[in-house]
Amino acid sequence: MAEPLELKKTLNLPKTEFPMKAGLPQNEPKQLEAWHGGNIYERILESRKGKPLFVLHDGPPYPTGEIHLGTGLNKILKDLVVKTKSMAGHYAPYVPGWDCHGLPIETQVEKELGGKGKVPPAEFRKLCRQFAIRYVEQHKKDFKRLGIFGRWNDPYLTMSHEYEATIAGAFLDFMEKGYVYRGRKPVYWCLFDSTALAEAEVEYEDHTSSSIWVKFAVVVGHRGDVAGIGSDVSAVIWTTTPWTIPHNRALAFHPDFEYAVVETEKGALLLASDRVAALQAECDIKEAKVRARFKGRDFDGMKFQHPFLPIQVPGILADYVTLDQGSGIVHTAPGHGADDFNSGQKYGLEIYAPLDDKGVYLEGLPEYKGKDVFTANPIIVKLLGDRGALLGHHEYKHSYPHCWRCHNPVIFRATEQWFIKMDQAAHGKEKSLRQEALEEIHGVKWIPAWGEDRMYEMIDKRPDWCVSRQRFWGVPIIVFYCEGCGKRLEDFKALRNVVKWFEEEGADAWYKYSSEKLLPNGTTCACGASKWRKENDILDVWFDSGTSNLSVLKGAEWPADVYLEGPDQYRGWFQSSLLVATGVRDASPYRGVLTHGWTLDEQGRPMSKSLGNALYPIEICEKWGADLLRLWVSSVEYQADMKMSERVMTQLSEAYRKIRNTFRFALGNLGDFDPWRDSLSNDQLEEIDRWMLDRTAELLKKCHEWYANYEFHRVYHAIHDYCVVDLSSFYFDVLKDRLYTKAPRNNSRRSAQTAIWKISSALVRLAAPILVFTSEEIWKYLPKLKGEPESVHITVFPEEESLACGIAKEAAEKWERLAQVRSAVLGALEQARAAKIIGGGLEAKVHLHAGPQAPGLQKLLEEKLPILPALFIVSQVKVAPSAIAASVPAETLPGLTIKIERADGAKCERCWNYSTHVGENNRYPTVCERCTEALAEIESGGSASVAVS
């Protein structure tokens, strides 16, 4: 007879080459090289051919500098959307893009040149293009490092020839439909960069201004005089922009507010009754006795003397006047404010703003003429004081608009610009651009839902769109003026000839060729002249990016299924895309809009270099790995603002370690498992294995729904909790005895392995969009069926039906209850260990009894008695028919009493369980009856039903 087996070698201990330590910073770049060398993105799309199309359209970032955490978050979220849709069975292309024109690039190039105007426009454009390409390549590398798949070899760039031609063509579409006009209106103006700014290019920062209260004396003897008000009365205005006082052309009253003339030591003053107390506090006025009261409408047409200019300005009525600040009378300079401008249009006021592009006064008194507006502020305050018109003056810190790039304060300035009419209907249509856009908003799915109201309000209240910029790096406005009569060319067929040039050579053709070269031969004006002057302005960069849907989305890809950006894009790309698409194609370019919040530090502050609290994606990858950053993105409720810190990453690294170890346990116990050869059918599986497969199927169903709704944090937490609580702490713990001690091919062990394999195969695919590198690593080691893809990212999510065993509801409820009993027993075992009754769980014998407070539990315990030792990981369990002496009630399960004592018998050398049968096997005298059976099966090479004795 053969020698007895060495007991240690008969155990099926876990064995896998899947490393315990991830080494993500070192190993992820190797995987990236393999992916891109093997064209992973193209292979994924090839495998999805013919499947339903899903398109996430990428909002283009500016290629300026290192990507920051917010950019990384944005791109990872997009990648999560694309990967989840792909693995849900969609053909989901992802075309990344960059917004290459505009002020951000120009500013950086000017810094490198050492100032403005250092080179000719054509050379400047060339340098801008080179700068953009340099950072596009850097961004590509950084985004790919985050595990993001996409068409990196052929992204879309707003400076490409095709794209620039699309921009020019879209502008001509707007012009041909009658939306475009040139007019003089106040716009945000950056004095430093000498250009108009879109609302989306303005950020609000703290600024200290001069807050002044100023008198405008009443002029009597004119139509519009109000009875009871004499020449001794002065209307009071309040402003934080003293530099606009020279351009005042009216005082605005609210028609329904009550106004009062009050007698003060500083004269008789007219202001809103509700603002008298504020006037006294701000201007150090002791006495204020009311002489008379009026309604605002009484002052319509009254004349007031400008405090230092020889002009009289009228009283006008306006609903935008409020009682929140100031005097209730609004200083109105139509050349320097939107409301002021609208009132100016209504009352025929002069739109007066004689400033140059640097904000220098071109007209005015000697005191301030030739000075810029901010330098002139204190000069004008002094001038008002010298003329006896200054009632009060102090410094006022408030939120003020600044240029988003140079961070200098901006002004409102009326200039000649190109605009798109919001309230103009296209030729042959009834509804205006604003009306059509508002209607389209209701057909979009907004996540979060408040996005719909935000977008509606912004479109509803926005002014006409100023689309011209006084810069060089962008797409020129395709407009020509006759050099003979000055009339604008309106032959759109001729104008579209320029678009053809752009298709061939890009917008540089505008600066390279003459007008006559760009236009068709023989293009003449009605006056007979054939010489044309080109427009100097370029298009707003938001018009550029808003055109992306027209340039990038081809055929069925338009409209996109979803746009995903931060909340600032409601006034930026979301809005410009909607307006461009509605103007050109009469429909929204997106079916859904998804918005994420801002990234903050641990104290809730925005991250910035100056604060020293910034974290950068590449730094995180070098220290923790991209999968840890992706884990953070998927763990947070990204629709709100998100905090990030090294402490957060340390916590997530522990969560990652637990998930990884769960898979490592599974892989270690599948080393000898071939799913083709060894897996069992559902009816051959043990009941606990079928129950766990059903529970996994339920998890899949929930995660499929959460992925579909972009609720990634729910998926992450569900996977984490399932790995840590349901698998590692419960199911895998219970399985260890079966996996380690049963004969390798024993049906009970194969049942456990079948369940582990199915669960692991499902979970790794479920986690693949989040943990892109780790899932691929796991997939390499996981036993697979023939024909399964070599990359987990080419697979699809498993269907619930592939795991569900259909265990009866009653049986499932029994296992849920047994899990509760297990938790109670584990608590009692811990107390017994603390009391030195036992050392480990296998030294324990557990006595159980369930009373009437736990209906049906006693019967369940008796029914499941044979499996309870394995469930509790103890050597013996007894279910007592009546109350147990010296037992203690379970803390978590009323009606159950538990008693722990030392197990009977001796310790089995092989499985470490205690048994009274140890020593009964002559061949293996140190093993228990369970191991005797396993050894017999091993020695026979098959299934043994009797032990070798």
Side-chain angles (χ1 to χ4, degrees):
M1 192 174 190
E3 288 293 318
L5 300 172
E6 186 179 339
L7 294 181
K8 187 177 180 180
K9 291 183 178 179
T10 66
L11 294 172
N12 311 302
L13 297 178
K15 188 183 298 182
T16 180
E17 294 181 7
F18 180 76
M20 180 181 293
K21 188 175 181 181
L24 295 176
Q26 297 77 34
N27 293 324
E28 288 176 343
K30 299 174 186 175
Q31 182 59 66
L32 277 176
E33 189 176 343
W35 274 335
H36 295 297
N39 299 316
I40 183 66
Y41 171 72
E42 291 76 13
R43 288 166 56 212
I44 291 171
L45 289 185
E46 181 65 28
S47 71
R48 304 289 192 264
K49 275 189 175 179
K51 302 297 183 183
L53 177 66
F54 180 91
V55 176
L56 177 147
H57 182 39
D58 188 34
Y62 291 107
T64 52
E66 185 178 2
I67 66 169
H68 53 75
L69 186 61
T71 316
L73 166 95
N74 175 270
K75 277 293 190 283
I76 290 172
L77 282 172
K78 290 173 180 174
D79 191 56
L80 285 169
V81 171
V82 174
K83 281 191 170 75
T84 55
K85 292 300 181 182
S86 174
M87 294 191 72
H90 288 85
Y91 184 88
Y94 174 63
V95 182
W98 279 268
D99 197 352
C100 303
H101 291 140
L103 193 56
I105 305 289
E106 289 200 35
T107 302
Q108 295 299 322
V109 172
E110 286 168 352
K111 285 181 181 178
E112 293 185 357
L113 288 172
K116 302 173 185 291
K118 299 289 185 179
V119 296
E123 178 65 17
F124 185 73
R125 285 177 60 86
K126 180 181 177 182
L127 292 174
C128 287
R129 185 177 296 277
Q130 291 172 352
F131 181 94
I133 290 173
R134 187 196 326 161
Y135 278 100
V136 164
E137 292 305 313
Q138 182 59 51
H139 282 195
K140 277 187 194 179
K141 180 181 176 183
D142 293 346
F143 288 142
K144 287 195 281 187
R145 178 63 186 88
L146 302 180
I148 297 165
F149 298 162
R151 202 176 77 188
W152 298 113
N153 294 332
D154 184 25
Y156 80 85
L157 306 177
T158 61
M159 65 181 183
S160 72
H161 296 175
E162 178 190 3
Y163 197 115
E164 290 182 332
T166 302
I167 295 168
F171 177 76
L172 291 177
D173 287 342
F174 271 89
M175 183 175 281
E176 191 169 8
K177 290 181 178 183
Y179 288 123
V180 178
Y181 69 97
R182 186 166 178 83
R184 183 176 174 83
K185 282 188 174 185
V187 295
Y188 285 116
W189 187 270
C190 177
L191 305 180
F192 181 83
D193 292 307
S194 300
T195 187
L197 297 174
E199 187 177 347
E201 296 170 323
V202 170
E203 295 177 347
Y204 283 81
E205 301 175 15
D206 286 342
H207 181 71
T208 300
S209 301
S210 291
S211 168
I212 58 173
W213 298 72
V214 181
K215 295 191 295 184
F216 280 67
V218 170
V219 178
V220 297
H222 287 273
R223 186 170 58 85
D225 289 353
V226 177
I229 293 185
S231 58
D232 64 326
V233 176
S234 293
V236 179
I237 65 94
W238 170 81
T239 183
T240 58
T241 55
W243 64 267
T244 61
I245 293 292
H247 304 159
N248 175 280
R249 290 300 179 266
L251 302 185
F253 296 78
H254 194 289
D256 300 324
F257 289 171
E258 181 183 88
Y259 290 81
V261 173
V262 293
E263 303 281 0
T264 76
E265 64 268 30
K266 295 187 178 183
L269 305 176
L270 169 64
L271 71 160
S273 298
D274 288 350
R275 299 302 297 166
V276 172
L279 171 74
Q280 290 183 266
E282 293 280 340
C283 300
D284 194 26
I285 292 174
K286 303 293 187 293
E287 297 289 335
K289 183 180 179 181
V290 176
R291 177 200 293 182
R293 300 180 188 276
F294 306 91
K295 284 293 184 182
R297 64 176 61 90
D298 296 333
F299 300 102
D300 188 13
M302 175 172 272
K303 295 291 184 178
F304 301 88
Q305 180 61 49
H306 192 283
F308 55 74
L309 293 177
I311 60 172
Q312 296 172 359
V313 299
I316 63 174
L317 304 182
D319 290 336
Y320 55 76
V321 177
T322 70
L323 299 174
D324 297 335
Q325 290 178 305
S327 66
I329 304 173
V330 174
H331 147 58
T332 301
H336 297 295
D339 288 334
D340 305 52
F341 175 81
N342 291 333
S343 289
Q345 294 290 95
K346 179 179 178 181
Y347 284 92
L349 305 175
E350 180 185 14
I351 310 302
Y352 188 64
L355 305 174
D356 71 9
D357 291 351
K358 292 295 182 182
V360 173
Y361 290 92
L362 300 175
E363 300 176 9
L365 300 182
E367 286 89 341
Y368 55 83
K369 183 179 178 182
K371 295 179 172 61
D372 72 82
V373 295
F374 292 117
T375 300
N377 262 331
I379 295 171
I380 290 171
V381 172
K382 182 178 184 303
L383 184 60
L384 288 167
D386 293 344
R387 299 296 178 94
L390 187 66
L391 282 171
H393 170 223
H394 67 272
E395 297 301 296
Y396 177 67
K397 189 175 182 180
H398 61 135
S399 183
Y400 186 85
H402 287 65
C403 174
W404 68 330
R405 277 296 149 191
C406 67
H407 296 284
N408 287 302
V410 302
I411 65 170
F412 250 114
R413 175 195 177 205
T415 61
E416 287 283 334
Q417 300 288 341
W418 289 96
F419 294 91
I420 289 177
K421 297 178 185 176
M422 291 299 299
D423 296 308
Q424 173 73 41
H427 296 318
K429 300 186 73 173
E430 295 182 358
K431 294 179 180 177
S432 68
L433 179 61
R434 189 190 310 276
Q435 290 171 323
E436 289 195 349
L438 291 174
E439 288 181 4
E440 288 299 313
I441 289 169
H442 296 311
V444 175
K445 182 177 182 180
W446 301 89
I447 303 175
W450 51 254
E452 180 173 353
D453 290 338
R454 177 177 291 191
M455 180 61 84
Y456 192 95
E457 182 178 6
M458 286 189 167
I459 296 290
D460 188 43
K461 295 181 178 179
R462 71 158 294 147
D464 287 350
W465 185 0
C466 175
V467 292
S468 52
R469 295 292 181 271
Q470 291 65 50
R471 308 294 292 180
F472 294 115
W473 180 229
V475 175
I477 291 177
I478 309 302
V479 167
F480 296 88
Y481 304 94
C482 174
E483 290 194 356
C485 66
K487 186 178 179 183
R488 178 164 61 87
L489 177 63
E490 295 185 354
D491 181 345
F492 287 98
K493 184 177 180 181
L495 291 171
R496 291 191 187 277
N497 198 65
V498 180
V499 177
K500 296 177 182 178
W501 278 100
F502 286 9
E503 289 172 353
E504 294 296 323
E505 300 190 32
D508 288 343
W510 187 261
Y511 301 90
K512 184 177 179 181
Y513 300 115
S514 67
S515 300
E516 291 69 36
K517 181 82 170 178
L518 294 171
L519 292 168
N521 291 333
T523 302
T524 56
C525 180
C527 73
S530 58
K531 292 289 185 181
W532 300 95
R533 174 176 57 87
K534 289 181 284 190
E535 170 64 55
N536 292 322
D537 289 351
I538 63 170
L539 282 164
D540 173 17
V541 70
W542 291 106
F543 191 91
D544 288 14
S545 59
T547 310
S548 64
N549 65 91
L550 305 177
S551 178
V552 180
L553 306 180
K554 308 297 184 184
E557 295 173 347
W558 199 98
D561 290 285
V562 71
Y563 277 33
L564 194 167
E565 302 297 336
D568 54 331
Q569 297 309 317
Y570 282 92
R571 63 185 184 129
W573 190 56
F574 293 160
Q575 187 175 153
S576 66
S577 297
L578 177 63
L579 293 177
V580 170
T582 303
V584 175
R585 293 191 178 175
D586 304 318
S588 167
Y590 40 69
R591 296 187 180 97
V593 169
L594 191 56
T595 310
H596 62 75
W598 303 110
T599 54
L600 310 172
D601 71 6
E602 202 165 15
Q603 283 75 46
R605 301 173 301 174
M607 290 188 175
S608 70
K609 284 184 179 179
S610 60
L611 289 175
N613 64 350
L615 287 174
Y616 294 91
I618 299 308
E619 292 176 357
I620 292 171
C621 290
E622 290 172 353
K623 184 172 183 179
W624 284 289
D627 265 1
L628 263 293
L629 179 59
R630 296 179 69 94
L631 203 64
W632 171 72
V633 172
S634 64
S635 71
V636 294
E637 293 192 47
Y638 63 85
Q639 293 171 19
D641 292 345
M642 299 145 284
K643 293 182 179 180
M644 169 58 122
S645 65
E646 292 215 5
R647 185 179 64 85
V648 169
M649 290 304 297
T650 301
Q651 292 173 343
L652 279 171
S653 65
E654 179 62 18
Y656 170 84
R657 184 188 65 80
K658 291 179 178 179
I659 294 172
R660 184 180 182 88
N661 284 346
T662 300
F663 278 108
R664 189 170 188 273
F665 176 89
L667 295 172
N669 285 282
L670 293 173
D672 65 339
F673 182 79
D674 180 341
W676 278 102
R677 179 192 66 208
D678 302 320
S679 60
L680 304 182
S681 60
N682 288 348
D683 59 355
Q684 293 177 296
L685 300 180
E686 296 198 6
E687 191 174 66
I688 188 173
D689 300 329
R690 287 186 281 124
W691 176 58
M692 286 303 297
L693 286 170
D694 273 0
R695 294 194 64 197
T696 308
E698 292 172 8
L699 174 69
L700 290 179
K701 182 179 180 181
K702 291 177 182 176
C703 288
H704 288 165
E705 293 173 357
W706 291 330
Y707 269 144
N709 294 324
Y710 312 118
E711 296 177 290
F712 306 121
H713 66 288
R714 292 183 181 272
V715 176
Y716 158 72
H717 288 293
I719 291 175
H720 172 269
D721 293 349
Y722 199 69
C723 285
V724 175
V725 179
D726 297 77
L727 295 181
S728 293
S729 297
F730 172 65
Y731 183 54
F732 287 176
D733 206 28
V734 171
L735 288 186
K736 286 176 183 175
D737 184 74
R738 231 199 304 171
L739 290 166
Y740 299 170
T741 67
K742 294 290 184 181
R745 297 196 297 274
N746 181 274
N747 275 2
S748 179
R749 183 168 180 269
R750 291 305 194 203
S751 174
Q753 287 181 304
T754 301
I756 290 174
W757 172 69
K758 287 186 174 183
I759 291 170
S760 301
S761 178
L763 285 182
V764 71
R765 285 179 280 167
L766 204 59
I770 299 170
L771 298 172
V772 291
F773 294 97
T774 304
S775 296
E776 189 79 315
E777 185 184 8
I778 293 166
W779 187 255
K780 291 176 184 176
Y781 290 95
L782 186 71
K784 289 180 278 293
L785 294 170
K786 293 176 183 176
E788 284 194 295
E790 66 180 56
S791 171
V792 70
H793 299 294
I794 300 177
T795 67
V796 294
F797 289 139
E799 297 293 335
E800 306 94 82
E801 294 77 13
S802 66
L803 273 79
C805 296
I807 190 170
K809 181 181 178 182
E810 183 182 353
E813 290 172 349
K814 287 180 180 180
W815 279 105
E816 295 285 353
R817 207 165 189 197
L818 286 173
Q820 295 174 350
V821 174
R822 182 178 188 270
S823 296
V825 170
L826 293 182
L829 288 170
E830 192 58 42
Q831 292 176 1
R833 265 191 290 270
K836 309 295 186 185
I837 297 172
I838 58 171
L842 291 177
E843 294 180 9
K845 180 178 183 179
V846 179
H847 296 269
L848 300 173
H849 175 72
Q853 284 181 286
L857 183 57
Q858 179 73 8
K859 182 179 179 182
L860 175 61
L861 294 174
E862 291 170 351
E863 175 191 339
K864 300 295 185 181
L865 179 59
I867 65 167
L868 295 183
L871 187 64
F872 304 152
I873 315 178
V874 297
S875 290
Q876 293 139 21
V877 177
K878 295 293 182 183
V879 178
S882 57
I884 308 167
S887 64
V888 294
E891 295 180 359
T892 58
L893 198 55
L896 177 68
T897 54
I898 306 171
K899 181 180 180 181
I900 307 295
E901 60 184 16
R902 288 193 65 83
D904 300 328
K907 181 179 179 180
C908 173
E909 183 185 352
R910 183 171 179 270
C911 71
W912 294 8
N913 276 264
Y914 282 75
S915 172
T916 57
H917 297 286
V918 172
E920 292 180 355
N921 187 330
N922 293 330
R923 183 170 173 79
Y924 296 102
T926 59
V927 303
C928 66
E929 69 280 11
R930 294 165 60 254
C931 288
T932 292
E933 184 175 344
L935 290 166
E937 188 173 347
I938 293 168
E939 289 186 331
S940 68
S943 295
S945 57
V946 292
V948 177
S949 57

